[in-house]
Amino acid sequence: MFWNKEMETLRGNALEDLQVKRLRQTIRQAEKVPFFKAVLKEKNVSADDINEITDVSKLPFTTKKDLQGGYPFGFMAVPKKEIIRIHTTSGTTGKPTVVGYTRKDLDNWSELIARNMTMVGLTDEDTFQNAVNYGLFTGGLGFHYGAEKIGMTVIPSGTGNTKRQIEMIDDFGVTAVHCTPSYAMHLAEVAEAMGTTLETFKTGLFGAEPWSENTRKTLEKKLGVTAYDSYGMSEMYGPGAAFECPERDGLHFWHDCYLIEIIDPVTEEVLGPGERGELVVTPLVKEAMPLLRYRTGDITCILDDECPCGRGARIARLTGRSDDMLVIRGINVFPSQIEHVLRSIPEVGDQFMVYVDRINHLDEMTIDVEIKKEYFSGELKDLEKIQKKIIHALKETLNLRTKVNLVEHDSLPRFEGKAKRVIDRRGDSI
């Protein structure tokens, strides 16, 4: 199913001509921002220097730190009276990143969400529950307006009051839900405790945090949905810049609206297809806040094989962020790797917490792991067996020794928004 088949399947010269045209327009729009005007002048590059898509390498990178330095409106390329909505990023230190939207920006964004939802089979016959924050976080309103554009029945439930959320799913015949995978796990737990099977559910749209293939399997089994991954960030409008198709083998970036590159996060060298590195995005249609080669910090790679669905470029599932990467005794560890291992062990429940400490000048990682009720017998030898099994599985994947504490079901924190499963306490020891 296609929402805009012509754009979704655009290829070859026609695609590159459109991308080059829109990249030039983006540069001209960016020159209205003092920061970009200065750095483009310093690099002696202008829109007229873009003749083919590889010329994007002539442009400077932009970072979150740059955007925070322009707080609040230093990166707006239009007068404030043309900005009809403001969002800010969540979860960052210091000043937030302020993102403005013109009316055209909001139309473009809802168009992309409509593409995503249509691509996975949702139509105006569906009832959609949007169980994400409706505040300054972009996830709520982004999916809300995209779903309404399609003509779906939209329930703006937001987060919290989980029992009521489940009652609405049952009472209103909800067929699709959008939330973080962590909150979906919590929904499944509460639904099980309430004795409901969520019979009308068929589609789950999950994003805002990295999640593994094993998490997908768990969510599909517990919720009875087909689970799809969503990717985006406020700087790109919000969620939905890339999305899984029914093949569920990588996320399609909407190539008429975004130009993507992968770079080595240290050397800034541009990497080829299949090489994992930091995702860099240049939005091609943003009016209020154009960006050039924005360093997302997210780790992925571009997949170079053709997708059977007929759409364009895909990125692999995210493995974490370059700035979320943990270095434990010289070994790089992503939280998503830990999650993948734990989700593959039958005795392990849905929740875990990771603690990193510096003890006697050495890094130590401790993982608190909930054990499913049926395996928490209280027999010491049984628990020791499970503990050794988990430690061995983590060592096999991470090549790192970890300490594992087994805890009872429902004893670790639950998250309605982005899960904060890693607490790095090494700074307290310096």
Side-chain angles (χ1 to χ4, degrees), residues 61 253 259-265 268-281 293 296 298-303 314-316 318:
F61 290 109
F253 242 100
L259 192 61
I260 60 174
E261 306 168 85
I262 302 294
I263 66 168
D264 182 305
E268 298 184 347
E269 174 193 3
V270 177
L271 303 177
E275 295 184 281
R276 193 167 289 274
E278 181 180 355
L279 176 66
V280 174
V281 180
R293 303 187 83 192
T296 67
D298 289 316
I299 302 297
T300 183
C301 67
I302 296 175
L303 302 176
R314 291 172 298 145
I315 58 169
L318 304 175

Side-chain angles (χ1 to χ4, degrees), residues 172-235:
F172 301 157
V174 172
T175 57
V177 67
H178 172 229
C179 61
T180 65
S182 298
Y183 190 54
M185 286 289 192
H186 185 50
L187 274 175
E189 283 184 341
V190 176
E192 184 178 4
M194 291 173 65
T196 179
T197 57
L198 307 175
E199 291 182 2
T200 59
F201 255 1
K202 67 174 186 179
T203 305
L205 315 177
F206 305 122
E209 60 190 22
W211 52 297
S212 69
E213 197 62 28
N214 283 324
T215 299
R216 188 205 300 274
K217 293 175 183 176
T218 302
L219 289 173
E220 291 186 336
K221 181 179 179 181
K222 291 194 171 189
L223 293 175
V225 299
T226 302
Y228 296 93
D229 197 4
S230 170
Y231 173 74
M233 53 191 355
S234 300
E235 296 88 336

Side-chain angles (χ1 to χ4, degrees), residues 35-36 39 43 57 59-63 66 261 263 267-270 280 292-295:
F35 174 86
F36 286 126
V39 295
K43 277 190 164 283
S57 62
L59 302 175
F61 290 109
T62 311
T63 66
D66 294 329
E261 306 168 85
I263 66 168
T267 67
E268 298 184 347
E269 174 193 3
V270 177
V280 174
L292 304 177
R293 303 187 83 192
Y294 184 68
R295 294 187 59 167

Side-chain angles (χ1 to χ4, degrees), residues 356-421:
V356 185
D357 299 281
R358 184 158 291 146
I359 301 172
N360 296 326
H361 307 290
L362 293 175
D363 295 337
E364 299 288 346
M365 184 164 66
T366 303
I367 306 176
D368 289 351
V369 179
E370 279 192 4
I371 298 301
K372 293 177 181 176
K373 292 179 182 178
E374 59 266 34
Y375 293 104
F376 212 101
S377 65
E379 292 291 329
L380 186 59
K381 62 179 182 179
D382 294 334
L383 293 176
E384 286 179 345
K385 185 177 179 180
I386 295 172
Q387 185 182 44
K388 288 179 181 178
K389 180 178 180 179
I390 296 171
I391 291 172
H392 177 74
L394 289 167
K395 178 72 181 298
E396 286 285 305
T397 296
L398 306 179
N399 195 27
L400 184 71
R401 175 181 51 80
T402 59
K403 181 180 178 182
V404 172
N405 295 325
L406 305 185
V407 300
E408 292 186 68
H409 177 77
D410 212 24
S411 62
L412 294 179
R414 267 56 178 166
F415 303 95
E416 293 181 351
K418 292 186 179 181
K420 298 178 181 178
R421 301 190 187 280

